[in-house]
Amino acid sequence: MRLDSEVISREHRFTKGLGTAHLLAAQEIKNPLHHFDHLAFSATNFRRAAADALLLNDFDSAQNLFIQAGKVYSTMRMPYAFCMLELAGATEIAHHFWNSIVEQEQASKEKYQTHINKQHVYTLLFYAAEISKRKNPGSLGNLPERIRNELESARPVPLGVLGLPVGAYLNLSTALLESETSIEEALLPFVTAYNSAILQASASLHHWRQMSLPLHPAEPDLLAVLVLTHVALQQRRRSVIKILRQMPLSWQAVTVIKEFLRMRFREEESERHI
Amino acid sequence: MIIQKVIKGISRISENEAIQFFQQGIVCNWWRKVNPLPSHEIPLRLTPRNLDWHQNHYTVADPSEDGEEFGRHTPFISTTAGTVERDTFTKTNIMHPAWEVALPFATENLKTDGYLFYCYLFIIGRPAVPLQAFAEEIRELNVYTSFSAFQPEGEITAKIIIPPAQIEYAEFWRADDVMDAVDQGILPTPAKTIRNNLFISPDIYNNVRDLLR
C-alpha cells in the first residue's frame, strides 16, 4: 500500500504510550474538565494505536488496544465504545456496557443528556446487530424507538471522522432490523465515503507515507460499521463480504478491508476474496 | 475577532535559530525563498486556490510556478490549536491536545529533535483568505460535501508571517526522550523552554481562546 512501516511502527509506539500516560494522568487529576480531557486523549490514542496495529498485521495488539479504547470511551459514557469493543470482538464487555446504558436511560428523569445524544446512533447499531435478535433482549421498554425518534431531528448532523450524517446511521440500523430495507443501499454511503477519502489521501504520496492524515487507512469508523453489519447479517445467513464484492472499491480499500475481516472473523467465509 | 493560541512545530533547527525566530518572526516558505518579500504580490498569493493547494497539494508540482513543489513557495503557515471545542469530540470521537498534533511535525514523526513555538493569531470567525492579518480557521470538519483527507482537527493557517510580538516561547523536544517517556506510560515533557523577550501578551485584550492542553 506504499505506507512507510517504520512511520507506522513509530506512531504505534507513540500513541500506545500516550494512551496509557493520559489514562494515568486522568486518574490523578481532580479537576473534572481536565480529567475528561485526559480520558478523551487516552481513548483517541488507544484508538489510533489499535488502527496502526492493524496495518502492522498485529491483530492481537489491535484487539487489546481496541478494548482499552472501548473501556475508556465507556467510562465517558460514550456509545462509540460499542464500535471499539465490536472491532475487538469483546462482545461480553460490550453487552455489559449495553446493560449500563439501558439502566441509565431508563432511570434518567430527563430524556437524554444532550452531549451524548448523537452518539446513540452507535447504540442503535449495536442494538440492531447484537441485541434485537436475542431471545431475551431484556426489559428495554421502547428505548430503541425513543432513541430513533430523538435522532430523527438530527439527520443532517455529520458524525465521526468520515463526517457521515446521522441519517446514514439511522438508515443502516433500520436496514439491519428490517428485511424489507436494502442493506446494500444503507451501507453504500459508508463504503463510498471511505473509498473516496482513501483515494484522496493516497494521491498525495508525501502525506500518505508519513501518515499525516486525520483519516486512518484502517479507519476504525468504517471497519466498525462493517463488523456490526456482518454480525447482524450472520443471523440471516448472509455476509458483508458478499455485499462488498459487488461494490466498486479501490485496491487500497479492498486491501485494508479484506485483511481486517480476515483477522477479525477468522472463519471460512472470510477467506473468500472480495 | 478572536485571539487564538496556537503551536507551530519546526524541526532541525538550533537554539540560535529558534532565538532568531523570536527576533524576526516565523515566515512562510515563499518569504524564505524570495527574501526580501515583494509586498505587492501578497494579495495575489493569498487566494482560496493557494489555500487549497497548501492544505491538499503541498508536495505537488505547481504549474503556476514552473512546476515547483507548492510547499516551497506557499504563503501560508500551518499551525495547530488541538481540538478547539470539546463538543466536537462527541461528534468526531477524536481529541488531541495541541502539542501532540504539533510534535510529529516538529520532529519529523519522532525521528529528530525539534521545537514547538507557542504563538497567538487573530481569527475573525469566517473565511478571509486575502486578508493577511487574519488566520484561517480550518474547523468545519467533516462536512460531508467538503471532506478533506488532510484536514486535521484544529488546524489554523497563518499567512506570510507570525510576528515576533505574537510568539511567546519555544520548547525544545528530544525525540528519543519522548519515546522513552511514552514507553513507560509517562507524558513526555520538553527538554528546555526558552522565552521571547519581544512577546506582547494578548491577555489585556478580550476573546483570547486558549490551546487544548
Side-chain angles (χ1 to χ4, degrees):
Chain A
M1 287 184 66
R2 298 185 303 169
L3 292 165
D4 188 331
S5 58
E6 197 192 321
V7 169
I8 302 171
S9 290
R10 212 176 301 120
E11 182 186 91
H12 171 69
R13 187 179 157 201
F14 182 55
T15 50
K16 182 177 165 185
L18 284 176
T20 301
H22 280 298
L23 189 57
L24 292 173
Q27 289 163 0
E28 288 167 15
I29 285 178
K30 303 244 186 296
N31 178 295
L33 198 56
H34 293 157
H35 172 78
F36 180 89
D37 285 352
H38 279 292
L39 287 178
F41 301 150
S42 173
T44 301
N45 277 296
F46 279 139
R47 175 188 179 280
R48 183 89 182 181
D52 287 340
L54 289 178
L55 291 183
L56 295 169
N57 280 320
D58 186 351
F59 187 68
D60 287 342
S61 174
Q63 209 169 18
N64 288 334
L65 290 162
F66 276 129
I67 289 173
Q68 291 195 64
K71 285 182 175 176
V72 182
Y73 281 113
S74 67
T75 300
M76 292 186 288
R77 314 300 301 163
M78 287 176 68
Y80 187 68
F82 289 124
C83 294
M84 297 292 99
L85 295 169
E86 282 290 319
L87 282 168
T91 322
E92 209 172 300
I93 305 175
H95 279 278
H96 184 70
F97 181 52
W98 165 264
N99 292 337
S100 74
I101 288 277
V102 169
E103 270 175 39
Q104 176 191 301
E105 291 300 326
Q106 289 180 331
S108 174
K109 289 183 180 163
E110 293 172 19
K111 231 184 177 171
Y112 296 106
Q113 296 177 33
T114 51
H115 75 279
I116 61 167
N117 198 335
K118 315 289 181 297
Q119 285 268 323
H120 272 311
V121 295
Y122 306 119
T123 307
L124 276 185
L125 281 180
F126 182 77
Y127 169 76
E130 295 275 7
I131 307 293
S132 62
K133 308 294 190 296
R134 267 184 184 173
K135 284 182 185 160
N136 296 307
S139 54
L140 297 173
N142 62 345
L143 180 63
E145 231 16 73
R146 274 172 49 198
I147 292 176
R148 178 174 297 280
N149 291 339
E150 179 74 16
L151 288 172
E152 278 296 335
S153 59
R155 274 190 165 265
V157 174
L159 203 63
V161 171
L162 291 171
L164 284 153
V166 163
Y169 292 85
L170 291 177
N171 294 343
L172 180 60
S173 64
T174 300
L176 296 180
L177 285 168
E178 298 170 8
S179 54
E180 304 82 33
T181 312
S182 165
I183 291 176
E184 288 82 349
E185 278 181 27
L187 198 56
L188 191 60
F190 296 90
V191 178
T192 305
Y194 169 74
N195 195 50
S196 301
I198 284 288
L199 281 173
Q200 188 184 7
S202 60
S204 168
L205 197 56
H206 168 77
H207 282 103
W208 182 248
R209 286 185 65 83
Q210 296 302 312
M211 295 272 289
S212 49
L213 314 159
L215 170 92
H216 196 281
E219 180 46 53
D221 281 17
L222 182 273
L223 298 179
V225 161
L226 293 180
V227 167
L228 286 161
T229 303
H230 188 71
V231 168
L233 286 175
Q234 276 179 322
Q235 295 161 48
R236 299 189 208 177
R237 298 178 188 271
R238 290 183 63 190
S239 164
V240 78
I241 296 164
K242 215 167 179 184
I243 292 175
L244 291 170
R245 242 189 259 158
Q246 295 161 14
M247 293 183 178
L249 294 171
S250 63
W251 68 267
Q252 295 95 331
V254 168
T255 303
V256 170
I257 293 171
K258 177 181 167 183
E259 193 52 31
F260 168 72
L261 290 175
R262 184 191 67 76
M263 286 191 285
R264 170 62 175 83
F265 289 103
R266 293 177 187 172
E267 56 188 47
E268 185 187 328
E269 59 181 329
S270 66
E271 290 173 7
R272 294 180 194 163
H273 297 291
I274 62 169
Chain B
M1 189 188 71
I2 293 165
I3 299 171
Q4 172 68 59
K5 292 188 180 178
V6 298
I7 300 178
K8 171 66 184 170
I10 301 178
S11 64
R12 299 185 187 271
I13 59 171
S14 65
E15 184 169 331
N16 282 341
E17 286 168 313
I19 292 170
Q20 271 191 322
F21 282 124
F22 287 164
Q23 293 162 350
Q24 297 167 6
I26 296 172
V27 301
C28 61
N29 284 347
W30 174 47
W31 191 335
R32 288 169 61 187
K33 182 189 166 193
V34 301
N35 200 17
L37 191 76
S39 305
H40 64 278
E41 283 191 35
I42 290 175
L44 302 174
R45 290 181 181 262
L46 295 181
T47 63
R49 179 264 187 192
N50 281 348
L51 183 60
D52 174 63
W53 273 69
H54 177 84
Q55 190 175 347
N56 295 309
H57 308 284
Y58 192 85
T59 56
V60 176
D62 185 357
S64 67
E65 292 281 334
D66 296 323
E68 181 181 65
E69 197 175 277
F70 181 83
R72 293 185 188 273
H73 55 265
T74 178
F76 299 103
I77 305 164
S78 293
T79 72
T80 183
T83 306
V84 181
E85 293 174 354
R86 289 178 181 84
D87 278 350
T88 309
F89 175 57
T90 58
K91 291 179 192 161
T92 62
N93 305 302
I94 294 171
M95 194 157 101
H96 287 290
W99 67 269
E100 267 183 34
V101 179
L103 196 58
F105 290 102
T107 59
E108 295 177 16
N109 282 319
L110 303 154
K111 274 192 310 196
T112 67
D113 300 341
Y115 277 84
L116 297 185
F117 289 85
Y118 288 73
C119 319
Y120 64 85
L121 302 172
F122 301 106
I123 298 170
I124 58 168
R126 58 178 188 267
V129 182
L131 298 179
Q132 179 182 342
F134 301 112
E136 293 303 310
E137 193 176 14
I138 318 293
R139 286 179 53 205
E140 285 307 314
L141 269 193
N142 302 325
V143 175
Y144 187 54
T145 57
S146 61
F147 174 80
S148 168
F150 312 116
Q151 201 174 68
E153 183 77 43
E155 175 167 340
I156 314 283
T157 306
K159 299 164 189 170
I160 307 299
I161 182 172
I162 301 176
Q166 289 170 222
I167 305 171
E168 184 175 0
Y169 63 96
E171 291 174 343
F172 172 58
W173 291 76
R174 289 204 175 93
D176 287 344
D177 290 351
V178 168
M179 298 306 264
D180 286 343
V182 298
D183 282 343
Q184 297 171 62
I186 300 169
L187 285 175
T189 51
K192 189 175 186 179
T193 301
I194 45 177
R195 305 209 78 89
N196 179 15
N197 295 333
L198 297 177
F199 173 69
I200 297 176
S201 172
D203 291 343
I204 59 173
Y205 306 105
N206 289 328
N207 294 332
V208 177
R209 196 194 292 165
D210 207 344
L211 286 168
L212 189 65
R213 295 181 191 266

